[in-house]
Amino acid sequence: MGTTKGGSRTGAGRPRRGTGANAGRPHAALALPGVLFFLFFAALPMVLAFCLSFTEWNGLGNPRPAGLANWRKLFDDDRLTQSLTVTVLLTVVSWAFQTVVSMLLGVWAAGRQRNRAILSAIFFVPFLLSSTAISLLFYALLDPNFGIIHGDTLGSTNGAFLAIVFVGGWQFIPFHTLIYQGGARQIPEVLYQAAAIDGAGRYRRFFSITLPQLRNTATTSGVLMVVGSLTYFETVLILTQGGPGTDTAILPYLMYEAGFKSYDFGYASAIASFLVVAATALSLLLVRLSGFGTMRSTREGM
């Protein structure tokens, strides 16, 4: 291998093309299948639903233009305020419940012991079941006549609400536990070793090291929880059907009633479009407030 004047390498020592800022990055064409899938199964239906919200359609024949009638009906509907309140409350309570439990389980499951690996696999089983099957299971368990819990749990406002929170958490906590488990295992072990030398106990290490290092993981999990809570449907439909009365009639259930009970698909599309805008705005707000968008490291704790 030769060198030129000034010490630059030539021949076999010449730098390879492609090294630099873009080195190691996959080609943009690899994202094409995912982009097409998103456009066809997500973006296009949302656009069609938004267009349908400006029409009057009962599911038969051709939609007729209705202008802003459906949107005026939406904001004049007294049920919107109640449904929005129930939806927000369900989202907040579900987020708090699932975050606390999944974070503790995830940190515990980050251990290397064999029994923890086995239990982690068992904990993940509920996430593999469908929401419909889980809702039917708990509906049978909470039956006032034949269930294992005495009393009409689903017949009271607080009981029905807490049942929805618990059933949703029972299904999705394993998924978020897996996220926290991965985040906890990325925390450098040297931080815990230094804390142990300084005499920090288990709880002090959790609140001073583990919890701060999981802030980005908590943001990711939180956004998924919020979006998932805003789109609850099967659980409410099977467990409570919006009852007792309309105390658990969340926005997706209101959309279902408008579309498949009243056959007012234009109004149902307006509710769906409003829900998409609200969920997107709330997710962006969470990302902005948490500072997640400014994160540069690909590993927790680095």
Side-chain angles (χ1 to χ4, degrees):
M1 293 184 295
T3 58
T4 60
K5 188 176 181 179
S8 62
R9 301 178 66 86
T10 60
R14 183 177 299 171
R16 296 173 118 189
R17 298 181 64 182
T19 59
N22 295 325
R25 292 187 178 181
H27 197 276
L30 296 177
L32 185 60
V35 172
L36 292 177
F37 184 88
F38 173 79
L39 291 176
F40 188 77
F41 291 101
L44 181 59
M46 286 190 291
V47 172
L48 293 177
F50 182 73
C51 295
L52 194 61
S53 67
F54 297 98
T55 66
E56 180 182 349
W57 189 42
N58 62 359
L60 300 174
N62 296 322
R64 297 189 300 272
L68 297 175
N70 290 319
W71 290 94
R72 286 194 295 265
K73 179 181 178 181
L74 175 63
F75 292 110
D76 292 338
D77 194 343
D78 295 334
R79 296 180 302 171
L80 175 65
T81 303
Q82 181 187 15
S83 296
L84 189 59
T85 302
V86 174
T87 303
V88 172
L89 186 60
L90 178 65
T91 300
V92 173
V93 176
S94 298
W95 171 82
F97 171 60
Q98 294 183 30
T99 297
V100 173
V101 177
S102 59
M103 180 182 293
L104 294 177
L105 286 177
V107 172
W108 176 83
R112 306 296 179 181
Q113 294 87 342
R114 180 178 302 176
N115 63 326
R116 296 193 181 190
I118 297 174
L119 291 176
S120 297
I122 296 175
F123 290 160
F124 196 73
V125 170
F127 184 69
L128 303 178
L129 304 177
S130 68
S131 299
T132 302
I134 292 175
S135 299
L136 289 172
L137 170 64
F138 277 94
Y139 182 79
L141 293 176
L142 296 175
D143 186 276
N145 298 316
F146 306 102
I148 62 175
I149 298 179
H150 298 289
D152 191 5
T153 303
L154 300 178
S156 65
T157 300
N158 293 333
F161 181 84
L162 293 178
I164 294 173
V165 172
F166 177 80
V167 172
W170 190 82
Q171 179 181 10
F172 293 107
I173 280 176
F175 172 71
H176 296 284
T177 296
L178 190 65
I179 295 178
Y180 281 106
Q181 180 184 13
R185 285 187 173 177
Q186 296 299 314
I187 300 176
E189 187 66 26
V190 65
L191 297 179
Y192 294 105
Q193 295 173 353
I197 293 176
D198 292 338
R202 177 180 301 177
Y203 296 104
R204 181 61 182 274
R205 293 197 298 267
F206 176 79
F207 286 103
S208 298
I209 299 176
T210 306
L211 197 59
Q213 293 294 319
L214 290 177
R215 62 189 182 278
N216 295 320
T217 301
T219 301
T220 302
S221 175
V223 170
L224 294 175
M225 288 180 187
V226 167
V227 174
S229 298
L230 287 173
T231 56
Y232 271 165
F233 175 68
E234 301 99 323
T235 306
V236 175
L237 176 65
I238 295 174
L239 282 183
T240 67
Q241 295 184 359
T246 57
D247 291 339
T248 58
I250 58 177
L251 281 176
Y253 187 79
L254 195 66
M255 176 185 64
Y256 162 78
E257 282 191 327
F260 296 97
K261 286 189 174 182
S262 301
Y263 297 101
D264 190 352
F265 290 99
Y267 183 52
S269 298
I271 299 176
S273 300
F274 175 79
L275 186 60
V276 169
V277 172
T280 302
L282 186 57
S283 300
L284 294 176
L285 181 63
L286 288 175
V287 172
R288 180 63 179 267
L289 294 178
S290 64
F292 182 78
T294 60
M295 185 187 69
R296 291 295 179 265
S297 175
T298 58
R299 296 180 58 191
E300 290 285 0
M302 300 300 289

